[in-house]
Amino acid sequence: MTMENNTAKKSTELNLLKLSLKQDTRIEVKGQDGLLFSNKGNFFVIENLRPSTCTALKLLENNKYTKTELGSIAFEQEGYNGLNYLNLHLDRLEKAGYLAYTLMDNNTVFCSYEQMTGATGFCTDQISQQFRLSKFAFIRREGAHFLLESALGQARIIIYDQRILGLVSLLSTFTTKGALIGEQHINTSILETFITLLHTGEFLEFEPVVNMPSPEELWSFHDLLFHTRTRYGRQNYNLGATYRFINRIPPKKASRGEAGALAEIYLSVPDPKEIYLSESLDHCMGQRHSTRAFKGLDLQLLSMLLYRCLRIKGSQPYAVANAAGNTEEIETLSAPYPSGGSMYELTFYITVYECEGLEPGFYQYNAFEHKLCLLQRKNKDTDTMMWYARACTGSEHLPPAVITFAADFERMFWKYENMAYAAILKNVGVVFQTLYLVATDLGLGACAIGNGNIETFGRLTKKTVLQESSVGEFILGNHQ
């Protein structure tokens, strides 16, 4: 194929892509020469627009014009100044996340490509290698349509036509454009343009020319998705304290304990003089280490550890508002350890195997009243909790006690959007270090655990995994 023909072919592919507004985006006229773009509580204002730019931007709602055609409209009215001014504002809108490229042919909408961060630079070079769908790509439902995303890329594709879904299903194994032509009832130009979109958005992986290790091999799908979707830079979803449920779901207050406990054990409050005699922070940090061999557990030391680390010191109301201006009042707490947004969503349960003064069983620590509530006596599930704790540390013996951190998801998810679980795990790390340092000061052996069984925990608390679930574990005991 000659260079001229190849260039014409690329131009034909991109001419099927109509520049349009991102799904659910609206335009409102603001004053005499301004436009307001809004999408799900986010707003972008452009003022002092040239007449040609204002005309062209309003046409984005029609989904009928390519970027080149919109540029021609601005050029016809105000020449190169109008064209350059339009391109400047289109670039701003795209980087702000308000534009999409809609794949259309004969009034049939196939899909819409949205670059979530930055501007789109289409990969129009011919693909010589075989390709398949990336292991980081996934399809989910959003509203009434399917959405194709990739944990690796910075784009999303909204699928409107089932033929596109059929085409994606053929990409589970390495293939070529030529092999795909004729497989679906879809013309060649649409197919080739869609492959261009997949290539541009990093939805594809290519058959390696040389079999060498790559960074992608080290990442699992879930790890990369969690990393890229809970931080800024590769996506434009709402992130942070958006309070999106104001006027829809009442905010939840922190639990003050479970009703129907089999027994309640009020713990002694440490004498301030004992705490005053603590070792220095530098000493505790220097001596801190993980212990995996124990000899029972002293209840007095357990009580002191819980009081110094996990007790709730107080609560107060706090007024909040969302982007729409709706207001609400939430409960914030304070404790010896820090917690994101002062939400203190963690509740602490203790599975006891060998602690002098406590019968074996499953307890909840009431951090407001500094007491232990026995929820379940020793049974198959408490044994399983202990087995996992032993297995995760590689120890030959069961630990005397396991503190399980459980997250009250409703409290955190009501406030934070798309980063609540990441914040919870950061809070878990903070509590790990707090427990380690105080355990070192008290002379207790301690060890943070990397995992636990959420189903076993759910049977013990009688709560679903969507309400409250275990997110961290920590074992304790007297040194041997």
Side-chain angles (χ1 to χ4, degrees):
M1 178 181 289
T2 66
M3 183 179 294
E4 291 79 3
N5 288 337
N6 193 37
T7 302
K9 187 173 184 296
K10 294 177 184 178
S11 177
T12 300
E13 287 182 13
L14 297 183
N15 281 341
L16 294 173
L17 296 173
K18 309 301 182 183
L19 193 58
S20 58
L21 294 175
K22 179 181 174 182
Q23 189 180 38
D24 299 323
T25 298
R26 299 290 179 266
I27 298 180
E28 296 178 29
V29 176
K30 186 176 177 63
Q32 292 185 340
D33 54 7
L35 293 175
L36 170 67
F37 296 80
S38 62
N39 183 283
K40 297 181 178 178
N42 298 307
F43 303 93
F44 191 83
V45 179
I46 304 178
E47 295 180 311
N48 301 318
L49 287 170
R50 288 174 176 267
S52 63
T53 302
C54 191
T55 299
L57 292 181
K58 288 178 182 179
L59 293 175
L60 289 170
E61 291 185 300
N62 297 339
N63 294 347
K64 291 181 180 180
Y65 299 92
T66 66
K67 189 173 184 179
T68 301
E69 290 167 342
L70 290 174
S72 297
I73 293 172
F75 182 81
E76 288 174 4
Q77 292 187 25
E78 297 186 80
Y80 284 109
N81 287 336
L83 175 61
N84 293 334
Y85 198 72
L86 172 65
N87 285 334
L88 171 68
H89 287 296
L90 287 176
D91 187 62
R92 290 180 61 199
L93 278 171
E94 184 169 16
K95 289 179 178 178
Y98 287 90
L99 298 186
Y101 291 88
T102 300
L103 178 54
M104 294 180 63
D105 189 34
N106 294 326
N107 295 322
T108 298
V109 179
F110 290 89
C111 64
S112 185
Y113 178 98
E114 298 176 358
Q115 188 76 17
M116 291 192 286
T117 58
T120 305
F122 289 107
C123 298
T124 56
D125 293 335
Q126 289 297 305
I127 301 174
S128 58
Q129 298 163 260
Q130 292 195 93
F131 55 86
R132 65 184 176 187
L133 200 66
S134 167
K135 72 174 184 178
F136 299 114
F138 62 100
I139 293 177
R140 63 182 179 90
R141 183 190 62 80
E142 183 174 88
H145 305 289
F146 284 112
L147 184 66
L148 177 63
E149 287 190 76
S150 171
L152 183 63
Q154 302 178 55
R156 43 186 251 158
I157 297 176
I158 302 171
I159 299 173
Y160 296 106
D161 193 288
Q162 63 181 1
R163 287 171 288 184
I164 296 296
L165 276 176
L167 189 56
V168 173
S169 71
L170 298 175
L171 299 177
S172 59
T173 58
F174 283 117
T175 186
T176 63
K177 282 187 182 180
L180 293 173
I181 294 173
E183 289 286 349
Q184 296 290 310
H185 298 294
I186 189 169
N187 71 47
T188 302
S189 295
I190 293 294
L191 185 147
E192 291 184 337
T193 306
F194 181 64
I195 296 301
T196 296
L197 295 179
L198 293 179
H199 190 191
T200 301
E202 298 184 83
F203 292 99
L204 300 177
E205 61 184 38
F206 298 91
E207 189 173 35
V209 177
V210 180
N211 191 18
M212 294 180 61
S214 66
E216 287 86 351
E217 291 183 52
L218 298 174
W219 283 89
S220 71
F221 165 78
H222 300 91
D223 282 340
L224 188 57
L225 183 65
F226 182 73
H227 175 59
T228 58
R229 289 302 186 268
T230 57
R231 301 188 66 80
Y232 295 113
R234 298 185 74 85
Q235 50 85 21
N236 62 355
Y237 289 106
N238 290 336
L239 203 66
T242 59
Y243 304 106
R244 64 197 187 280
F245 295 112
I246 290 181
N247 294 339
R248 290 177 54 196
I249 301 174
K252 184 181 179 182
K253 289 190 173 184
S255 172
R256 263 58 174 180
E258 299 296 327
L262 301 176
E264 294 183 342
I265 299 91
Y266 284 86
L267 303 174
S268 59
V269 175
D271 189 327
K273 294 180 181 179
E274 296 180 72
I275 300 177
Y276 182 76
L277 297 175
S278 294
E279 298 284 357
S280 69
L281 175 62
D282 183 68
H283 172 84
C284 292
M285 291 184 71
Q287 296 299 310
R288 185 215 64 77
H289 65 278
S290 294
T291 304
R292 293 172 177 81
F294 306 94
K295 187 178 180 180
L297 176 61
D298 183 82
L299 178 58
Q300 189 66 24
L301 290 178
L302 173 63
S303 172
M304 192 173 293
L305 179 81
L306 296 175
Y307 182 84
R308 288 177 60 180
C309 295
L310 306 180
R311 77 183 189 279
I312 296 297
K313 297 190 295 183
S315 66
Q316 63 180 12
Y318 183 75
V320 298
N322 59 21
N326 301 314
T327 60
E328 182 59 271
E329 191 174 86
I330 64 174
E331 179 186 42
T332 60
L333 306 174
S334 61
Y337 63 93
S339 176
S342 297
M343 296 305 291
Y344 290 92
E345 77 289 348
L346 296 178
T347 303
F348 302 95
Y349 297 83
I350 305 174
T351 309
V352 174
Y353 175 69
E354 184 184 1
C355 180
E356 184 178 353
L358 282 180
E359 78 169 285
F362 182 73
Y363 295 79
Q364 183 191 66
Y365 174 57
N366 186 322
F368 288 88
E369 300 182 46
H370 189 49
K371 68 179 180 181
L372 291 173
C373 301
L374 178 62
L375 303 183
Q376 303 252 8
R377 291 189 167 86
K378 183 179 182 298
N379 57 34
K380 182 179 177 181
D381 286 324
T382 61
D383 290 345
T384 300
M385 294 282 282
M386 285 296 171
W387 182 90
Y388 273 97
R390 181 194 64 77
C392 288
T393 57
S395 175
E396 295 181 359
H397 305 286
L398 297 176
V402 179
I403 301 177
T404 301
F405 308 2
D408 185 340
F409 295 126
E410 188 175 340
R411 268 182 66 76
M412 282 294 277
F413 291 0
W414 189 92
K415 176 176 181 177
Y416 292 108
E417 186 173 1
N418 289 322
M419 57 158 286
Y421 195 81
I424 288 170
L425 296 186
K426 291 178 175 69
N427 292 337
V428 167
V430 167
V431 178
F432 275 162
Q433 178 71 338
T434 304
L435 288 170
Y436 261 128
L437 294 178
V438 176
T440 300
D441 182 49
L442 295 174
L444 282 170
C447 184
I449 305 175
N451 216 326
N453 190 308
I454 59 177
E455 287 300 304
T456 302
F457 179 80
R459 287 194 295 271
L460 287 167
T461 61
K462 296 182 172 58
K463 294 179 181 178
T464 72
V465 72
L466 298 180
Q467 294 174 308
E468 179 184 273
S469 190
S470 57
V471 291
E473 289 81 18
F474 195 89
I475 61 177
L476 284 172
N478 300 327
H479 285 291
Q480 276 192 340

